[in-house]
Amino acid sequence: MLGENGAGKTTLMNVLAGVYLPDEGTVSLDGVEHQFNKPADAIAAGVGMVHQEFRLIPTFSVAENVVLGSAPTLVAKRAIEDEVAALAERFGLATEPGRQIWQLSMGERQRVEILKALWRDAKVLILDEPTAVLTPNEAAELGRITSAMADDGRSIIFISHKLDEVKEFCDEATVLRGGKTVAGSLSVADLDAGAMAELMVGQATDVSQRRSRTSEIGNQVCSVTDMMVHDLHQRAVVNGVSLTVAEGEIVGIAGVAGNGQRPLADAIAGLVKLTSGTVTLAGTDLSTSQPSARNAAGLAYVPEDRIGVGLAPKMNVTENAMMRAYRKLSSGSLIDRDKARANGERLVSEFNVKVGQMDSPIAALSGGNLQRLLVGRELDNEPKVLIAAQPTRGLDVQGVAAIQRILLAQAADGLGILLISEDLEELFALSDRLLVMHEGKVVAEVDPDTATRSEVGRAMAGA
Amino acid sequence: MRLVRRETPLKGGQVRAFAAGVVIALVLGAILLVSTGHNPAEVYAKMLDASLGSPRGWSATLTRAVPLGLAGLAVAVAGSMGLWNIGAEGQLIAGAIGAAWVARFGGDWNGFVLITAMLLGAVVGGALIALGPALARARLGVNEIITTLMLNEVAIRVVRYLVNGPWKDPEGNNFPVAPELPPQSALPGFFERANIGVLIAAAVIGAVGFYSARSAWGYELKIAGSSAKAAEYVGISLKAKILTVLVLSGAIAGLAGGIELTGSSTRLVEGVGGGFGFAGIIVAALALMRPSGVAAVAVAFGAVQIGGGAIQTLGVPASIAGILQALILFGALGAAVLTNYRVVVK
């Protein structure tokens, strides 16, 4: 099951697994129509799903997690551990049934999830982006496990947006885009990566939507050199990225979610530490500076998570509007309430944010208004560079247009923008240069005036 | 019937909810009183009169509100950044121990110096016992609820050890009590039965409440309480904030212990904590974890306690009086839900 983020893969599979009810349509297994009102119905019919976020109890043992919900009333711990071990052995799943989940690596936890499904005798096993959390060795191990299961006569649905994996793991592929099947039951052996990429990302964009450049691109203002960032599991999530942004330039970053865009943005803004490499802004090395120092030096950041990172959910409009400026709005150690209120009202009117009351919590604002407040606040201090991560995601058409207008106007005024987006159309329309990230690396740089979508799509998929 | 979350909390809802809860509790209490053969009107009149009906009543109520308010403030300061200090009781005891320790050296100091030193000792005592949980939380992410809760038990046992062992009064007829404090350590009177502890507590609660509501420091605390990630995004050091807030919280609870010792008792005894530290959690919850709301709640809580004690002179058993107090607090806490939720009948 192949498709971009948001193509509907997980949703569709959640219907098959009984998590969601379909409004229309039917689910059949072996020619028999089923209605799954709850996951237990699907499990009883032989459908198991390994979700991206594992459903395991950290302080229970492997065996306890495997049998949970289907265990006999009286549990003989030893006997169950032996049974689980026997099952694991049958499919070549290396596991220690007595260990507790929190002690295990992500790969081991995933094997527990697979064991859970096998314990319930799943005939159809759905794996939702199973390799996202795995190391390359663990991914290869998973390949062995799935082929052992297929040899045992079970069906496996493998959700992915990585072409190489699909080629490696699967016999057939179905491609989803925008909630629709664009190609069903393709024989993987006959397909090349380019064709699959094109099916995933769709037709070339309308050229007329390209922005007309109104200003010259100036001097380089921000540079990232050989950046490495590791996550908690010591995986290199940003793996040697170098890039530059110049005054008035919009540099786009394309990529499937989870290929290092978020840690890249966070590391430039100072929210996560660099393992190595440098971040330079207007000639000043900020690689080890605090987020506030980077902001003071002219780096603005519209993070992917508007509420919870960029904005504080329980606080009101005025308080959120002064998150960057509250020190300046203070006299001594006390915040000047009049100035704070004026600051908020000014931003709200300048960026056309529709708010009920200035002192109502921002949770009451719509997505578009939240984003205008956040973008407005970040632009208020005349920054030199803006990192805009998924700035239009989830907004309605007018909301998208408003944010894009603001970005273009700011770039025309000389602001350098690093635009991280999953929306190729947006990237093609706004970017002066377009970089593609895959597995923590910049794998391609293209000119959006001449590049095609399938070219970018292929690079996104690592082909 | 179900509860639906309000988009924005009801304006002034806390006061209204509190009133509604009290009214419901009084009605339920009246049923209880009638069924046990008492006249509710008489009992309620006595409660009100004994707590808020005279300067003498006010002095008793305010004296009771001092440890409640300070302990509530301690919990609320931590709570405003999303931390749970369940150890106010232990910190209060540690404060009393700190003050009593100072008094062991200061028998011949003048009153002002001795009292000041004892209260400082109390602040340090409370801060010290909170330092461990603060460091563990800030550096290692250890849940402060567990550590502060467990340290209550430690503090209770330490004071028991002291009054049964090294600090035991040789002239105490073998009772587990520390020697009497120097007479000049008693807090000077304020009015009727109240001492200047009321003024000290009011000043501290007022200052901390004002500062956390209006200062950049308090604003940062609020961001951290709203979202840790947003705090990091702005560049607020969470570790430093956790450390200062939990230590400050302990210091405030410690001060409550010091005021209790110098104001309301003559010597260190096992029961010095008096449960005020635990009651402080209820006070803070009723104040919605806002330091600025603690004072009013503490006075109301104190009045309920004093009034509940007074009605025993009418022959109302202590157990019934206890149930009445519990009903009122329970009603007020329960009704507080309505500020954030509305009831939909369907």
Side-chain angles (χ1 to χ4, degrees), chain B residues 53-121:
Chain B
S54 64
R56 197 177 169 76
W58 271 99
S59 73
T61 294
L62 288 177
T63 301
R64 185 59 62 91
V66 167
L68 289 171
L70 286 173
L73 180 68
V75 177
V77 163
S80 60
M81 89 165 271
L83 297 170
W84 281 97
N85 177 12
I86 307 298
E89 181 78 7
Q91 291 146 12
L92 201 144
I93 293 171
I97 293 173
W101 182 72
V102 170
R104 291 173 70 80
F105 305 102
D108 48 1
W109 301 354
N110 89 32
F112 178 77
V113 173
L114 179 59
I115 290 171
T116 309
M118 282 175 77
L119 293 184
L120 276 176

Side-chain angles (χ1 to χ4, degrees), chain B residues 15-264:
Chain B
V15 175
R16 278 153 65 181
F18 193 87
V22 169
V23 169
I24 293 167
L26 291 181
V27 171
L28 290 175
I31 297 169
L32 179 73
L33 287 169
V34 169
S35 64
T36 52
H38 300 280
N39 176 356
E42 191 193 356
V43 170
Y44 288 154
K46 176 75 181 176
M47 273 184 94
L48 193 64
D49 186 55
S51 58
L52 304 174
S54 64
R56 197 177 169 76
W58 271 99
S59 73
T61 294
L62 288 177
T63 301
R64 185 59 62 91
V66 167
L68 289 171
L70 286 173
L73 180 68
V75 177
V77 163
S80 60
M81 89 165 271
L83 297 170
W84 281 97
N85 177 12
I86 307 298
E89 181 78 7
Q91 291 146 12
L92 201 144
I93 293 171
I97 293 173
W101 182 72
V102 170
R104 291 173 70 80
F105 305 102
D108 48 1
W109 301 354
N110 89 32
F112 178 77
V113 173
L114 179 59
I115 290 171
T116 309
M118 282 175 77
L119 293 184
L120 276 176
V123 166
V124 171
L128 274 180
I129 195 175
L131 183 62
L135 280 171
R137 171 69 208 248
R139 300 212 155 249
L140 306 169
V142 175
N143 188 330
E144 78 287 355
I145 301 178
I146 312 283
T147 49
T148 54
L149 179 68
M150 301 298 263
L151 281 176
N152 288 330
E153 300 300 319
V154 173
I156 288 167
R157 276 155 184 80
V158 167
V159 75
R160 183 178 298 163
Y161 165 71
L162 287 175
V163 299
N164 279 291
W167 288 8
K168 187 169 179 175
D169 185 358
E171 289 144 36
N173 297 323
N174 214 23
F175 282 110
V177 291
E180 270 197 42
L181 296 168
Q184 74 274 25
S185 75
L187 284 177
F190 172 35
F191 74 100
E192 292 286 343
R193 287 187 284 180
N195 58 52
I196 62 162
V198 172
L199 299 178
I200 299 172
V204 169
I205 295 173
V208 174
F210 177 80
Y211 197 69
S212 41
R214 297 283 302 279
S215 71
W217 179 83
Y219 174 73
E220 290 177 348
L221 218 61
K222 219 171 151 186
I223 295 180
S226 179
S227 163
K229 284 193 168 161
E232 282 174 356
Y233 166 83
V234 183
I236 297 167
S237 164
L238 279 178
K239 286 183 182 176
K241 274 277 176 298
I242 290 169
L243 204 61
T244 48
V245 163
L246 279 179
V247 169
L248 173 69
S249 177
I252 293 168
L255 177 64
I259 293 177
E260 273 301 285
L261 189 73
T262 54
S264 302

Side-chain angles (χ1 to χ4, degrees), chain A residues 271 290-292 301-303 305 308-315 319-320 322-324 326-327 330 333-335 337 357 359-361 364 374 377-378, chain B residues 5 7-9 11 82 210-237 239 241:
Chain A
L271 299 190
Q290 291 299 310
S292 48
Y301 182 24
V302 173
D305 293 327
V309 179
L311 300 166
K314 289 175 214 150
M315 297 172 79
E319 289 169 328
N320 269 289
M322 64 178 184
M323 267 170 70
R324 294 292 195 190
Y326 66 95
R327 295 242 169 246
S330 305
S333 59
L334 295 185
I335 292 172
R337 287 201 284 194
Q357 280 164 321
D359 59 356
S360 55
L374 174 54
R377 188 194 70 205
E378 288 304 295
Chain B
R5 197 174 179 91
E7 273 188 4
T8 56
K11 277 254 151 139
F210 177 80
Y211 197 69
S212 41
R214 297 283 302 279
S215 71
W217 179 83
Y219 174 73
E220 290 177 348
L221 218 61
K222 219 171 151 186
I223 295 180
S226 179
S227 163
K229 284 193 168 161
E232 282 174 356
Y233 166 83
V234 183
I236 297 167
S237 164
K239 286 183 182 176
K241 274 277 176 298

Side-chain angles (χ1 to χ4, degrees), chain A residues 261-314:
Chain A
Q261 302 94 315
R262 182 197 284 254
L264 171 70
D266 280 352
I268 297 175
L271 299 190
V272 301
K273 277 206 178 78
L274 280 67
T275 318
S276 61
T278 56
V279 174
T280 312
L281 185 71
T284 315
D285 185 347
L286 296 175
S287 312
T288 55
S289 307
Q290 291 299 310
S292 48
R294 298 187 198 207
N295 183 252
L299 183 72
Y301 182 24
V302 173
E304 195 172 326
D305 293 327
R306 279 156 221 165
I307 291 206
V309 179
L311 300 166
K314 289 175 214 150

